[in-house]
Amino acid sequence: MPMLPIPVFAAIVLAYLAGRTLLSEGRPLLVAFLAACAMQSFLVAMVIGYDVAWLRPVLPVSATVIPPLAWITLQDALISRVSLRQVGFHGAAPAFTLFCRIFAPETTDIVVPFVFAGYGGAILYLLRSSGDMPLARLDAGHVPKVLWQVLGWALIASAFSDVFIAVAFMTGNEHWAGWLITFSSSLVLVLVGLLSGSPSASGVAGEDSAEPAPPPREKSKEDIDILEALEAFLNREPMHLDPNLTLSRLARRLHLPEKRLSMAVNRATGTNVSRYVNTWRVRHACKLIEDGATVTDAMLDSGFNTKSNFNREFLRETGVPPSQWKQGKQTPSNVTRISDVSQGS
């Protein structure tokens, strides 16, 4: 088979992402996940590209390390800290694959796709059931969830490609299997690495998650009290201007469980915490622009990291782009409503 340097290129890209994440003091589990993806791509290159036959039995075992690490990384990066015991529990997937590879090698063609599809589905379910992500940057909005949804579907797609590879071997088309392994594994690994290496997907280091809150109920006086306490706090301490603000940090300062704060904001305002905080940020940006600041300076001084997110939130809250705010085209919005309720920020 003609040698394509795709797995080698993938390994280099993933190793670079792992090194960059390590040097930027990223989460250890995220570094481990990226390193595992780089190692798997390197092993594929050795077996498929350089025909190192003795490494072939290692491929299915090393491959099943990646899906559990993906799930653990998501949990640790955006939802709650993962304990050593939880990490050990998910080691059952590669351990079982190793057992099958030694004692029933013919079953590995079933086990590997099952692990990838199972964890891909578990990631999608976790994202659907988790609601607000306590450790995600509020400025990131829905981006972290979208990135990890794509990653979950990528794992499921990898499971289907493993099935096609097994069929190719069973039908005597080993040459097709080689191409499929080269392209599918490299594409999935690079995609997974790039997505998980994105700042929006990895949350904020050093955050801890609080205990879960009680089940949701109808809006109550307690919800209104929590919202008033939140508004008073943001007036007193403008944490919304911190681009790295997370739900976890905000809830901790208010001495509330994250989900309790999230549910109270949702029921009292009809929106989530991320959009609620962005409303405060837009209001602050409006004042800065009115005082003569440039749009870029207003964006950076108001807690936004990206121009696209700032423009989108500004337009949603005010009805006009930031560049037109000074031109007298303001419309009633959440910005003015918050200004009426909470003065002095």
Side-chain angles (χ1 to χ4, degrees), residues 284-345:
H284 185 265
C286 288
K287 293 179 179 178
L288 292 178
I289 293 173
E290 290 167 2
D291 291 340
T294 66
V295 170
T296 300
D297 288 342
M299 175 194 78
L300 296 175
D301 291 341
S302 300
F304 288 97
N305 277 316
T306 64
K307 194 72 172 290
S308 59
N309 188 37
F310 174 61
N311 289 338
R312 181 179 65 251
E313 293 298 309
F314 198 100
L315 181 63
R316 180 176 63 83
E317 294 294 342
T318 68
V320 297
S323 59
Q324 296 183 20
W325 181 253
K326 275 189 174 182
Q327 301 175 14
K329 296 183 179 180
Q330 298 94 324
T331 58
S333 67
N334 287 337
V335 174
T336 54
R337 285 201 294 273
I338 287 183
S339 298
D340 292 338
V341 173
S342 306
Q343 299 292 330
S345 74

Side-chain angles (χ1 to χ4, degrees), residues 3 6-12 14 35-66 178 181-182 185-186 189:
M3 175 55 193
I6 297 175
V8 177
F9 172 77
I12 292 172
L14 291 163
C37 291
M39 179 57 67
Q40 182 65 15
S41 191
F42 174 77
L43 292 174
V44 170
M46 293 298 99
V47 173
I48 303 301
Y50 297 100
D51 199 24
V52 183
W54 64 271
L55 283 175
R56 190 177 295 274
V58 179
L59 280 181
V61 179
S62 58
T64 51
V65 171
I66 293 173
I181 293 172
T182 299
S185 62
S186 299
L189 287 172

Side-chain angles (χ1 to χ4, degrees), residues 77-264:
L78 298 178
I79 299 174
S80 64
R81 281 289 176 264
V82 175
S83 66
L84 187 60
R85 181 179 180 182
Q86 289 174 297
V87 174
F89 172 79
H90 290 281
F96 181 69
T97 307
L98 177 61
F99 174 86
C100 293
R101 191 71 189 85
I102 295 172
F103 297 102
E106 66 280 359
T107 63
T108 55
D109 290 338
I110 300 174
V111 172
V112 174
F114 180 79
V115 171
F116 272 79
Y119 272 98
I123 286 175
L124 296 176
Y125 177 78
L126 181 63
L127 292 170
R128 183 177 179 181
S129 61
S130 62
D132 287 321
M133 297 183 171
L135 305 184
R137 295 176 178 87
L138 293 177
D139 176 61
H142 66 284
V143 174
K145 181 167 288 190
V146 171
L147 290 176
W148 282 97
Q149 282 174 336
V150 174
L151 192 147
W153 283 113
L155 293 178
I156 294 173
S158 181
F160 280 102
S161 71
D162 286 339
V163 173
F164 292 140
I165 291 167
V167 171
F169 275 112
M170 287 187 294
T171 56
N173 295 307
E174 289 85 356
H175 60 290
W176 285 108
W179 286 100
L180 282 170
I181 293 172
T182 299
F183 282 104
S184 64
S185 62
S186 299
L187 180 62
V188 169
L189 287 172
V190 170
L191 176 64
V192 165
L194 290 173
L195 290 174
S196 61
S198 168
S200 295
S202 57
V204 178
E207 291 294 312
D208 291 312
S209 177
E211 292 299 317
R217 57 181 184 274
E218 294 298 321
K219 182 173 70 172
S220 63
K221 184 180 182 301
E222 184 183 3
D223 294 329
I224 302 300
D225 292 341
I226 288 175
L227 187 66
E228 290 177 352
L230 175 58
E231 291 177 349
F233 173 75
L234 293 179
N235 273 315
R236 184 174 65 253
E237 298 184 39
M239 285 186 69
H240 54 285
L241 303 183
D242 180 359
N244 292 322
L245 179 63
T246 65
L247 173 60
S248 177
R249 287 179 57 197
L250 196 57
R252 192 159 60 244
R253 293 300 299 273
L254 292 170
H255 307 290
L256 291 169
E258 298 140 357
K259 289 187 178 180
R260 184 68 191 92
L261 175 59
S262 176
M263 289 188 296

